[in-house]
Amino acid sequence: MDSKAVSPLLGFVLLLMILMTFLGIMQSSFVPIWNKQAESRHLDTVSYQISKLSESVSLAASSGNPAKVVIEAGAKYPNYYVLVSPSKASGTLSKERLIITINGTLDNENVNGNFETDAIIFRPNYLYSSATQFVYEHSAVLMLQGLAVPVSSQSSFWEDRVVLYIINATFSSMATTESLDVILNPLSYGGFSRFSGSITFECYSEETAEWWNKKLSEIYGDKVTKNGRNITVQLSNVEFSIAYLIASTSATSYEFQPELRLKNVTETNLEVYEGSTVLLVAKLLDEYWNPVRNHAVNVQDPCNGNSQIFSDEDGFVRYHFNARGECVDQTNQINFLANNASLSFNVTVLSSPSQGWIIKTLILSPTDDAYVSEKNETGNFGYEPSLIVDGQKNKRYRTFINFNLSEVIGKKILFAKLYLYASQTTGQKEIYHGIWQKEIYHGIYRVLNPWYEENITWNSHLNLNIATEPTYTAFISGKGWIWWDVTIDVQDIADGGANYGWCIKDADESGNEIFILIPNKYVEYNSREANKNNPYLEIIYID
């Protein structure tokens, strides 16, 4: 054989063997390393995306608007040309049903019930890395790799406030290499009550239960106990709400037909004189104690005939009862009916006094008004042109106002409204690409001992005897006139009760704003020192 021909052939074979050996080493050693790096990058991406579930659930529940979270389910591997590598690894989205049990009192009503909610689980099906799971449960997203590691903060439990999110996930377990849209539709939201009792919630695993036990113990101390996958929290007089949301993977509209109940806002037993008008107010709630909006309520009125009215955006149902002549000297039952829910008002119509009587309207300006500031505990703001209310935690503002009611002492009060003009407010409005300002409610609370606008401060007002429950709560939708029904309080003053006015404060002073894009719930009203739109009290009474 010609040695000159053999030498190049052997060289080529040796070179090919070296190349194949090198490619084999690359395939067996380096491709897995590179693909693990691709999986690690995908894990970082999907961890950030799934962490948005916590924020989006809270945002949807506070705004009433749908929210969407996009999850890049599949991990994409690089193309190495001559080397063999898979193109993508899939990710699996699934759910698991969990139970929440509530036992206690809610606004002094006994509650005892179970609620079903879904944990949302995402698992990347990596080909080179160890198994990882992400779990959304009870407002937190946790990553499971032996231990539960938080990738988002929880937003359900605070020192003086609890918000439970009930999630109904409509999807089944699905694996895909494409992107997933998790769409959150809030169907019940916007309620708040005072709760005392226990909440027990089931967790996805022992690891997530251990995380919750540690986390809540930092807030509530020894009031938290763990039993397997169940965590129990003992609570006392906290602000409480439940939001119900549908979680789906497609943009679908859902009908929500809740169990309804009607709760009285004004007194259910009233006495009025012939010819007068009285306002009857109820609130329409669902089984989560949230307001039911724009729902028909039938009113059965034996004096004025039957009618139908609709609940407003806050669930309030307002009906004006006219005390007509044919209903005099008898008690008339006014029934509110909504589906299977009912509420009755008993209105006794009294005949005119034999000496005759006159209905008068009285418009009063304040004798004192001022605001106090937690940021300036010793500062006095009695002569400012504005009255400020804000519920931000540790930076609260409260307003005080009083009137001379000597003219109505001994009179029968038919109606009394306090009016303030909101000149500046964050209000209820869209503030950033679908993010809405949190709803603002201001309660008016009776003050039972003296104060004066020239010396009231934050520190001094803490010594005042102020009612713990509001006489009336108003929804602040924006600038303009805001009013509170204070008929009950003015009648008590007319009957000889103490007259030291009212304190107006945010109905939610927990101030736990979760998202930096949501501003403080700040409202500025005109005071009696303003150059226009001053406060006033309107009273309709029998002389």
Side-chain angles (χ1 to χ4, degrees), residues 26 52 96 161 219 291 380 416 493 528 532:
M26 295 286 288
K52 293 295 180 182
E96 177 152 330
R161 184 182 186 190
I219 303 173
N380 171 255
I493 294 168
R528 73 190 187 108
K532 61 178 181 179

Side-chain angles (χ1 to χ4, degrees), residues 337-362:
L337 304 172
N339 295 2
N340 293 326
S342 64
L343 176 66
S344 296
F345 293 89
N346 297 306
V347 183
T348 301
V349 179
L350 305 176
S351 59
S352 306
S354 58
Q355 298 300 318
W357 49 273
I358 301 173
I359 295 178
K360 288 187 175 181
T361 299
L362 180 65

Side-chain angles (χ1 to χ4, degrees), residues 267-320:
E267 293 292 324
T268 56
N269 295 292
L270 302 168
E271 288 185 351
V272 299
Y273 283 98
E274 177 186 359
S276 63
T277 300
V278 64
L279 179 63
L280 307 179
V281 184
K283 193 167 188 180
L284 188 61
L285 304 172
D286 62 24
E287 65 259 45
Y288 302 107
W289 299 279
N290 290 317
V292 178
R293 304 161 179 86
N294 196 35
H295 192 285
V297 176
N298 295 310
V299 179
Q300 296 176 343
D301 182 347
C303 294
N304 301 281
N306 297 339
S307 60
Q308 187 178 79
I309 52 181
F310 286 82
S311 57
D312 66 14
E313 282 300 306
D314 306 309
F316 287 111
V317 182
R318 295 179 171 89
Y319 178 72
H320 289 86

Side-chain angles (χ1 to χ4, degrees), residues 415-431:
F415 201 67
K417 276 186 180 180
L418 172 61
Y419 289 85
L420 292 180
Y421 187 84
S423 56
Q424 292 189 41
T425 174
T426 52
Q428 176 69 356
K429 60 183 179 180
E430 189 173 24
I431 58 174

Side-chain angles (χ1 to χ4, degrees), residues 60 65-67 183-188 244-248 250-254:
N65 297 311
I183 301 170
L184 301 158
N185 284 283
L187 301 186
S188 176
Y244 172 73
L245 304 95
I246 296 286
S248 61
S250 61
T252 306
S253 60
Y254 295 92

Side-chain angles (χ1 to χ4, degrees), residues 32-82:
I33 293 174
W34 295 336
N35 285 351
K36 278 187 177 181
Q37 292 173 346
E39 290 174 345
S40 178
R41 290 191 295 272
H42 176 263
L43 187 66
D44 289 340
T45 298
V46 81
S47 175
Y48 172 76
Q49 292 170 338
I50 293 176
S51 72
K52 293 295 180 182
L53 274 173
S54 179
E55 178 181 322
S56 297
V57 167
S58 300
L59 181 58
S62 63
S63 69
N65 297 311
K68 181 172 73 172
V69 176
V70 180
I71 302 173
E72 188 179 321
K76 186 177 181 180
Y77 299 110
N79 185 357
Y80 303 112
Y81 301 106
V82 296

